[in-house]
């Protein structure tokens, strides 16, 4: 018997702000343990299962294709840290990674061992098998993983619910025995101090905001732990880390627009942290430690009078002294980070909507001339500022960045490179000779990069702004002659950039003649800080109109057509999906919204909800600002559902998501049902914001979503490669 679309009960609740009254019929769904809610979600899942049953064979085919392109038994490239090479394995049939290590051959051993997928190397030691840890749990996530500097002790933190609250455990790596130490309810990112005698970690408040940094002495109960820093401002979160030199522990506090860092000499882990530079509203900065010509310096990446950021170095002993400019502010070159090593610096930035990497060699201490006795004192090193040289890459679209470089004295820079057509590639770059050595490229079975093409196009927004679109498709696809089925992805928030990257699962779309496109809309960071500023707070609607402009560009140019175009976005990109569904329902053949933020006004109005106050810097504060309230009300997907011809919509969410609560898509779908929209809701009952855990479960989830997309595009069969 065919099921009727579920109809959620209405329980009207009034919300009044700034003289505006809104009646919310579905806010009752926020009660997570309400049996009526769970029954409703179950009925939605049953209805979705029934409606998508015709796609079962396609889902199976997609899952098998993902498996078929994946080398299931594989391993990562070993990374040297201390006296060991660390790497992880995956084994066919197992959901999770196995973390291993092998001893280095000697102090000058910087060439990672060749480890074959089905073999081992001398001295290999399995230090953590996630499959064993996850065996009795429906959900499993590893949130912290660190080994003490002497290699004797491991810490790891796991979440078995999906709410991103982790329990830290310690293990003796010589015996395999677990310590009595057990630290519950931590955030991710716990780490050892260099001595290995202390663990530093953060906890969250009731709104899931990391607000307190703790110090735990190994071998003592968690009840004795010391809170070493608490951040009272609800718009700030905190984190703790170590500089690569391991000289300083760093506590970073930050909102979306302001930063403040504290440092402590790691040789004194029980000491008092000192402020690098006091917080100044609207000024962001990050800290790294460098030794330049024998002098301890702090490298600050900041945006004080530098919209796209700049880099200065200051004395570590007096970080509030005037700094020397290492990288000047250049509009359009958005500086993102600087890394310091014993012999070189690494700069990461973006230009023309692509990430870039540059390297500068540092002078040795002996090369610096001793200053004359009568020379005036200065806060600048005696040597000239290092000069950065950009690394060039051949492809028109690519992603490149430093990755896996924990060692201060390493002579090479580990790079990770990819594009829409080039699988993830690990490269060691010799910073002196410039030689590049490819250590590994992600093995993709039955795949040839030459069969696929990537390109960049530009749409023109309503205000004349040019918006980049990245595309990838089969090279033999005749996009000039006929409208091609296209999946258009968008995000556009938090200055996050959607850079070119390879996806095994996406190959199944491309081989069915589907074009995959990314609309790099304002609100992201692809074209610098101004690109972000022009898509947030009171300028937020630019994000939505940019996406529609990209869709119109692709259809008006004949590249695709409205009946062959599906839109996809997740989280804040799910808000984008809900907004464009209301603004331009005629522009799309379907909309896939993953953990969508579609009831933003209700959430951002309530400071007691997870992360709300932090979000005010991104969206504005509708609780206290009538203009922000009015704007958010004008674009909130839930509050602007109307009786129009919506395309088919699939919303996917997770019951235990703490970032975008399940209630948002649940309410949105219920409201869409009122106007007869063809909408489906799928709720994962044991998952968090990132969805299900385990690679096979993730592949099943992706196959489910892509089968639905292909059905809307009319492309269920592969063309054959």
């Amino acid at each position: 018997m065919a099921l009727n679309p579920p109809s959620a009960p209405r329980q009207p609740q009034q919300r009044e702000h700034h003289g505006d009254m809104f009646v919310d019929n579905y806010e009752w769904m926020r009660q997570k343990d309400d049996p009526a809610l769970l029954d409703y979600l179950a009925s939605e899942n049953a209805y979705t299962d029934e409606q998508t049953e015709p796609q079962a064979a396609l889902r199976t085919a997609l899952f098998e294709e993902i498996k078929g392109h994946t080398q299931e038994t594989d391993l990562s490239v070993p990374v040297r840290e201390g006296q060991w090479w660390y790497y992880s394995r995956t084994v066919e049939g197992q959901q999770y990674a196995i973390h291993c290590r092998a001893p280095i051959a000697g102090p000058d051993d910087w060439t990672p061992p060749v480890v074959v997928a089905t073999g081992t190397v001398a001295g290999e030691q399995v230090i953590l098998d996630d499959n064993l840890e996850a065996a009795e749990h429906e959900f499993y996530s590893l949130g912290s993983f660190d080994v003490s500097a002497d290699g004797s002790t491991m810490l790891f933190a796991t979440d078995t619910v999906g709410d991103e609250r982790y329990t830290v455990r310690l293990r003796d790596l010589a015996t395999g025995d677990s310590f009595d130490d057990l630290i519950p309810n931590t955030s991710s990112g716990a780490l050892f101090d260099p001595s290995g005698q202390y663990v530093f970690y953060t906890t969250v408040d009731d709104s899931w905001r990391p607000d307190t940094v703790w110090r735990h002495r190994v071998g003592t109960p968690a009840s004795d732990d010391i809170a070493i820093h608490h951040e009272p401002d609800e718009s700030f979160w905190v984190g703790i880390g170590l500089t690569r030199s391991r000289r300083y522990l760093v506590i970073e506090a930050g909102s979306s627009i302001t930063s403040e860092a504290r440092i402590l000499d790691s040789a004194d882990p029980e000491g008092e942290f000192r402020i690098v530079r006091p917080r100044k509203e609207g000024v962001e900065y990050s800290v790294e430690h460098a030794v330049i010509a024998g002098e301890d310096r702090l490298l600050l990446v900041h945006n004080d009078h530098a919209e796209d950021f700049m880099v200065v170095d200051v004395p570590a002993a007096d970080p509030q002294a005037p700094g020397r400019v290492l990288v000047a502010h250049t509009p359009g070159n958005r500086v993102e980070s600087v890394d310091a090593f014993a012999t070189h610096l690494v700069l990461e930035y973006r230009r023309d909507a692509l990430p870039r990497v540059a390297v500068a060699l540092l002078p040795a201490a002996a090369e610096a001339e001793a200053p004359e006795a009568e020379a005036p004192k200065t806060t600048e090193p005696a040597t000239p500022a290092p000069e950065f040289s950009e690394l060039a890459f051949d492809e028109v679209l690519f992603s490149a960045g430093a990755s896996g470089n924990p060692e201060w004295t390493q002579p090479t820079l580990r790079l990770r490179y990819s594009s829409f057509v080039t699988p993830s590639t690990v490269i060691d770059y010799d910073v002196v000779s410039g030689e590049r050595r490819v250590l590994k490229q992600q093995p993709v079975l039955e795949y040839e990069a030459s069969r696929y093409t990537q390109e960049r196009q530009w749409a023109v927004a309503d205000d004349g702004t040019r918006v980049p679109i990245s595309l990838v498709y089969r090279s033999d696809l005749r996009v000039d002659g006929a409208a091609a089925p296209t999946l258009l992805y968008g995000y556009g928030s938090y200055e996050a950039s959607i850079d070119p990257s390879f996806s095994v699962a996406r190959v199944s779309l491309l081989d069915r003649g589907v074009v995959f496109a990314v609309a790099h809309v304002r609100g992201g960071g692809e074209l610098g800080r101004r690109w972000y500023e022009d898509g947030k707070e009171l300028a937020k609607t630019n994000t939505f109109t940019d996406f529609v402009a990209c869709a119109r560009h692709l259809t008006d140019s004949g590249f695709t057509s409205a009946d062959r175009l599906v839109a996809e976005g997740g989280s804040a990109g799910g808000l984008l999906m809900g907004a464009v569904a209301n603004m331009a329902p005629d522009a799309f053949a379907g909309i896939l919204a993953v953990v969508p933020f579609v009831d933003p006004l209700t959430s951002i109005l309530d400071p007691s909800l997870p992360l709300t106050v932090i979000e005010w810097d991104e969206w504005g504060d509708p609780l206290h600002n009538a203009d922000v309230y009015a704007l958010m009300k004008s674009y909130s997907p839930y509050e602007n559902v109307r009786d129009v011809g919506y395309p088919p919509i699939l919303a996917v969410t997770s019951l235990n998501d703490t970032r975008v609560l399940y209630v948002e898509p649940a309410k949105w779908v219920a409201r869409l049902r009122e106007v007869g929209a063809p909408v489906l809701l799928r709720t994962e009952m044991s998952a968090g914001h990132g969805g299900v855990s385990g690679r096979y479960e993730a592949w099943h989830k992706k196959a489910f979503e892509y089968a639905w997309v292909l059905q809307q595009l009319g492309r269920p069969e592969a063309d054959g490669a």
Side-chain angles (χ1 to χ4, degrees):
M1 179 184 297
L3 297 175
N4 292 320
S7 178
R10 299 185 189 183
Q11 298 180 17
Q13 297 182 29
Q14 291 186 346
R15 184 194 74 204
E16 184 173 3
H17 292 278
H18 306 294
D20 175 70
M21 175 71 73
F22 175 68
V23 177
D24 192 336
N25 290 322
Y26 302 111
E27 179 61 12
W28 66 268
M29 293 183 181
R30 197 170 296 278
Q31 301 305 314
K32 184 178 178 181
D33 297 327
D34 186 343
L37 166 72
L38 298 177
D39 287 346
Y40 169 69
L41 295 179
S43 68
E44 286 286 2
N45 279 347
Y47 181 69
T48 296
D49 288 343
E50 179 193 68
Q51 293 296 302
T52 59
E53 178 58 30
Q55 301 162 19
L58 178 56
R59 289 198 297 270
T60 299
L62 288 168
F63 176 80
E64 292 299 330
E65 288 168 22
I66 296 171
K67 281 188 65 178
H69 287 303
T70 303
Q71 184 168 303
E72 296 181 65
T73 298
D74 200 9
L75 72 161
S76 64
V77 176
V79 171
R80 178 174 163 177
E81 188 163 7
Q83 303 302 304
W84 298 86
W85 291 102
Y86 290 87
Y87 51 97
S88 61
R89 293 182 176 277
T90 55
V91 176
E92 183 174 358
Q94 296 188 1
Q95 293 270 24
Y96 300 97
I98 301 169
H99 305 274
C100 309
R101 69 179 184 178
I104 63 173
D108 296 325
D109 178 17
W110 294 104
T111 302
V114 177
V115 186
V116 297
T118 56
T120 60
V121 296
E124 180 174 286
Q125 178 182 6
V126 174
I127 59 176
L128 182 67
D129 187 339
D130 286 333
N131 299 283
L132 297 178
E133 303 296 332
E136 298 180 1
H137 305 285
E138 291 186 47
F139 180 90
Y140 174 85
S141 175
L142 185 65
S144 302
F145 180 78
D146 195 23
V147 177
S148 59
D150 65 2
S152 67
T153 311
M154 173 185 67
L155 74 77
F156 65 104
T158 58
D159 165 21
T160 56
V161 176
D163 62 1
E164 299 182 48
R165 292 195 178 190
Y166 302 86
T167 297
V168 175
R169 295 173 171 83
L170 303 181
R171 185 169 294 170
D172 186 314
L173 291 179
T175 66
D177 295 335
S178 294
F179 287 42
D180 292 334
D181 306 54
L182 198 69
I183 312 172
N185 296 318
T186 74
S187 187
S188 60
L191 75 158
F192 284 109
D193 82 309
S195 75
Q197 298 181 39
Y198 297 91
V199 172
F200 289 85
Y201 64 94
T202 59
T203 56
V204 300
D205 62 12
D206 291 339
S207 295
W208 256 261
R209 173 182 67 99
D211 71 330
T212 305
V213 181
W214 298 79
R215 184 181 65 239
H216 169 83
R217 186 176 181 89
V218 175
T220 64
S223 57
D224 291 345
D225 292 356
I226 306 291
I228 59 173
H229 178 73
H230 173 71
E231 176 53 61
D233 189 329
E234 293 182 340
S235 66
F236 279 70
W237 60 88
V238 297
I240 185 163
L242 271 169
T243 58
R244 180 174 286 99
S245 65
R246 305 183 75 82
R247 172 69 185 277
Y248 295 103
L249 286 154
V250 183
I251 293 175
E252 292 184 310
S255 70
S256 294
I257 61 173
T258 306
S259 303
E260 184 176 71
R262 290 169 166 80
I263 61 172
L264 172 67
D265 194 314
S266 61
D268 182 24
E270 294 187 357
E272 293 293 324
F273 283 77
R274 55 192 174 97
I275 292 178
V276 175
R277 290 193 171 178
R279 66 187 65 178
K280 177 181 177 183
E281 186 172 359
V283 174
E284 302 167 58
Y285 71 91
S286 61
V287 179
E288 177 63 300
H289 170 239
V291 178
I292 301 177
E295 299 181 40
D296 279 323
R297 311 289 290 184
L298 295 181
L299 309 182
L300 307 182
V301 178
H302 73 81
N303 68 336
D304 196 3
H305 302 290
E307 184 175 57
D308 277 326
F309 290 73
M310 62 189 297
V311 183
V312 300
D313 72 324
V314 297
D318 185 15
Q320 296 178 37
R324 175 182 64 165
V325 175
L326 294 186
V327 179
H329 174 243
T330 303
N333 277 22
R334 169 62 166 94
V335 177
E336 296 191 327
S337 68
V338 64
D339 286 320
F341 298 82
T343 60
H344 56 282
L345 306 178
V346 179
L347 183 72
E348 295 190 66
Y349 54 104
R350 59 181 56 253
R351 184 182 70 249
D352 299 331
L354 291 175
R356 316 280 176 165
V357 181
V359 176
L361 296 178
L362 290 174
E367 295 176 8
E369 295 182 6
E372 298 179 8
E374 65 274 12
K377 292 183 178 180
T378 177
T379 60
E380 295 190 5
T383 55
E387 295 185 6
F388 287 91
S389 298
E390 182 175 299
L391 306 186
F393 298 96
D394 295 334
E395 294 184 272
V396 63
L397 300 178
F398 63 87
S399 294
S403 177
N405 296 282
E407 282 294 287
W408 172 249
T409 59
Q410 63 187 63
T412 57
L413 173 67
R414 180 70 56 85
L415 298 169
R416 189 168 295 277
Y417 176 90
S418 68
S419 74
F420 286 118
V421 300
T422 301
S424 180
T425 305
V426 179
I427 302 168
D428 264 1
Y429 172 77
D430 188 304
V431 298
V432 175
S433 69
E435 178 187 358
R436 304 183 194 189
R437 186 161 69 98
V438 174
L439 301 178
K440 182 175 183 177
Q441 185 171 92
Q442 175 189 3
V444 182
L445 309 180
E446 299 182 17
Y447 172 80
E448 293 183 16
S450 61
R451 293 175 173 170
Y452 306 89
T453 296
Q454 57 179 353
E455 65 170 278
R456 170 70 53 79
Q457 294 189 18
W458 296 81
V460 179
D462 293 343
D463 61 1
T465 300
R466 298 177 74 240
V467 183
I469 310 171
S470 297
L471 305 101
V472 59
Y473 48 87
R474 277 269 299 271
S475 300
D476 58 359
L477 185 66
R478 294 185 176 276
V479 294
D480 293 332
T486 300
L487 177 60
L488 180 62
Y489 180 87
Y491 187 75
S493 293
Y494 303 108
E495 202 177 1
S497 300
I498 309 302
D499 293 322
S501 63
F502 187 82
S503 164
V504 169
R506 191 188 301 142
V507 175
S508 291
L509 294 183
L510 303 182
D511 283 348
R512 284 170 170 79
V514 174
V515 176
F516 179 77
V518 176
H520 301 284
V521 295
R522 281 174 283 185
E526 287 89 343
L527 290 170
R529 176 50 64 93
R530 178 49 48 190
W531 197 250
Y532 168 50
E533 296 287 349
D534 286 347
K536 64 180 290 195
E537 295 184 292
L538 292 175
K540 188 62 202 171
T541 53
N542 284 334
T543 302
F544 317 137
T545 54
D546 281 0
F547 191 86
V548 174
C550 290
R552 303 291 192 201
H553 167 83
L554 293 174
T555 55
D556 291 348
S557 65
F559 200 93
T560 188
S561 57
D563 62 347
R564 310 197 84 187
L565 178 62
V566 169
E568 179 190 0
S571 194
L575 166 63
L576 171 59
M577 295 300 100
V580 301
N582 291 331
M583 292 173 56
D586 62 317
F588 308 99
I591 293 176
L592 172 59
V594 181
V595 291
F597 182 46
V598 283
D599 188 20
L601 188 51
T602 303
S603 295
I604 301 300
L605 279 168
D606 188 350
S608 70
L609 291 179
L611 307 178
T612 286
V613 175
I614 287 175
E615 297 287 332
W616 284 348
D617 286 334
E618 177 74 20
W619 310 99
D621 175 5
L623 185 61
H624 303 101
N625 188 314
D627 291 337
V628 171
Y629 178 92
L631 181 70
M632 293 191 73
K633 185 175 176 62
S634 74
Y635 67 67
S636 169
Y638 175 60
E639 297 183 36
N640 287 280
V641 170
R642 51 200 179 99
D643 191 2
V644 296
Y646 285 100
I649 296 172
L650 172 62
V652 179
T653 188
S654 299
L655 186 63
N656 295 324
D657 192 339
T658 58
R659 296 178 183 268
V660 178
L661 302 184
Y662 70 89
V663 67
E664 300 208 16
K667 289 171 60 176
W668 182 50
V669 167
R671 179 71 184 96
L672 285 165
R673 282 271 161 67
E674 291 183 1
V675 298
V679 58
L680 300 176
L681 173 66
R682 177 169 178 168
T683 304
E684 300 290 348
M685 306 305 285
S686 299
H689 191 63
V692 294
S693 66
R695 57 175 177 163
Y696 294 106
E697 292 304 314
W699 295 350
H700 278 298
K701 178 178 181 291
K702 182 58 70 175
F704 175 84
E705 294 170 0
Y706 275 2
W708 184 88
V709 167
L710 288 165
Q711 200 69 36
Q712 313 317 310
L713 293 173
R715 300 293 297 184
E717 301 300 327
D719 289 340

